Amino acid sequence: MPRDAPDSPTSTARVRVRVNRLVLYTVLVTVTGLFLGPFGWLIVSGLKTPAELAASPVHWLPAVFRWDNFADAYHLIDFLGYARNSLVIATIYATLITLSSAWVGYGFARLNAPGKKVLFGILIGSMMLPQMITLLPTYLIFARLGMVDTYWPWVLWGLSAAPYLVFLFRQFFAGLPRELEEAAIVDGCGYAAIFWRIFLPQSWPVLSASFIIAFTWSWGDYLAPQLLLSSDRSTLAVAVMSSYVTSAGTPVTNLQAAASVMYVVPILLIFLVAQRGFVAGMSTTGLK
């Protein structure tokens, strides 16, 4: 019998591998299409007229691709000004909350103290609380402190760490060898120096992932800027949802869709640039 005869075990194994790959690629393409479908529909909606968006039955494609909708959406509001506000808030918040979460995660992972497990359980349990529950008390606190219509709330939120990011850092730091800090302690380093000089530089994958996650949280937040900021200081998320209306208060949906596409682009660019660090951070967290 020839070496690669059709009925040989080697040939059967190759066929099985090809079939498995075909099934896998089919599933991946299908799932990718499901995820990209809403974004593709958003782009198509931004190229239609309001009449085509409201038509029944649905017009899947516009009769004429109206690229000027993007120019109108850009010029009708101070798009760059609102984008600058969002960028400032998101950068400040993401930087501070990444560092504060890393510090808290380091404490939970490497330091021993009475009640540490109970505190960590309470911290993780706080992830179950919806944002709406804490929004009104938070507003009252900031109003009493005179921080409404300022960016100080995002500074304080950033300094207070985030439970999910603390969990990521805690899992990562717990997997590092104990000999690292023992050698540093012998050399005279304190715990703060160990964190800044040894642990933090090694956690760049989790730092990258945490920064992207926190930046996305702040960039996509609508409730907090709407509640705490005036229209001049507000963010792009609020402007996109509230500025494109007619004199009667009816939303101009095609311009909202076009503005939403431009609103999402910075997040996509950030992820494409930092995706290697993001994937590495999410895949190595918790591994020893």
Side-chain angles (χ1 to χ4, degrees):
M1 181 181 293
R3 183 178 181 182
D4 290 333
D7 296 333
S8 65
T10 303
S11 177
T12 303
R14 288 179 179 177
V15 172
R16 185 181 297 109
V17 170
R18 290 176 181 175
V19 171
N20 291 339
R21 286 182 178 177
L22 179 61
V23 173
L24 177 60
Y25 291 153
T26 302
V27 172
L28 290 177
V29 170
T30 303
V31 173
T32 302
L34 291 176
F35 277 101
L36 293 180
F39 185 65
W41 181 250
L42 184 66
I43 296 175
V44 172
S45 299
L47 298 172
K48 293 181 179 180
T49 64
E52 288 175 328
L53 281 175
S56 181
V58 176
H59 290 183
W60 295 103
L61 293 175
V64 178
F65 289 91
R66 300 182 178 274
W67 297 102
D68 55 337
N69 287 345
F70 289 89
D72 293 340
Y74 179 84
H75 291 294
L76 282 177
I77 64 173
D78 185 11
F79 199 92
L80 282 182
Y82 288 119
R84 182 178 61 250
N85 295 343
S86 295
L87 181 62
V88 170
I89 291 175
T91 303
I92 292 174
Y93 173 79
T95 302
L96 292 178
I97 205 167
T98 298
L99 293 177
S100 61
S101 299
W103 179 248
V104 176
Y106 169 75
F108 277 117
R110 314 302 291 197
L111 304 181
N112 294 320
K116 184 179 74 171
K117 293 184 178 180
V118 175
L119 289 176
F120 187 71
I122 295 174
L123 179 72
I124 297 301
S126 65
M127 295 171 58
M128 306 297 292
L129 295 176
Q131 183 185 10
M132 292 297 297
I133 293 179
T134 60
L135 197 59
L136 183 57
T138 302
Y139 174 80
L140 294 176
I141 293 173
F142 289 141
R144 292 289 182 89
L145 296 176
M147 295 182 179
V148 175
D149 201 20
T150 69
Y151 294 159
W152 279 106
W154 282 266
V155 174
L156 297 182
W157 281 327
L159 294 174
S160 61
Y164 179 66
L165 301 184
V166 170
F167 174 77
L168 290 182
F169 280 105
R170 188 259 184 191
Q171 295 299 101
F172 181 83
F173 289 144
L176 295 180
R178 181 69 63 176
E179 289 78 12
L180 286 175
E181 56 189 318
E182 290 177 351
I185 292 174
V186 171
D187 291 338
C189 285
Y191 286 109
I194 293 173
F195 170 74
W196 287 105
R197 297 181 182 180
I198 299 177
F199 279 72
L200 196 63
Q202 296 194 46
S203 64
W204 68 266
V206 189
L207 287 172
S208 176
S210 298
F211 183 86
I212 294 175
I213 292 172
F215 191 94
T216 305
W217 287 346
S218 182
W219 184 271
D221 188 16
Y222 173 81
L223 291 176
Q226 176 73 1
L227 189 64
L228 296 171
L229 298 176
S230 63
S231 58
D232 294 335
R233 292 177 174 266
S234 193
T235 61
L236 190 58
V238 177
V240 168
M241 293 302 298
S242 60
S243 299
Y244 300 103
V245 294
T246 64
S247 57
T250 305
V252 184
T253 51
N254 60 333
L255 296 186
Q256 282 186 341
S260 297
V261 173
M262 295 187 289
Y263 166 73
V264 172
V265 166
I267 294 294
L268 296 179
L269 293 178
I270 290 175
F271 179 78
L272 290 176
V273 171
Q275 63 174 325
R276 180 174 298 179
F278 178 82
V279 174
M282 300 303 293
S283 61
T284 59
T285 297
L287 297 180
K288 295 187 179 181

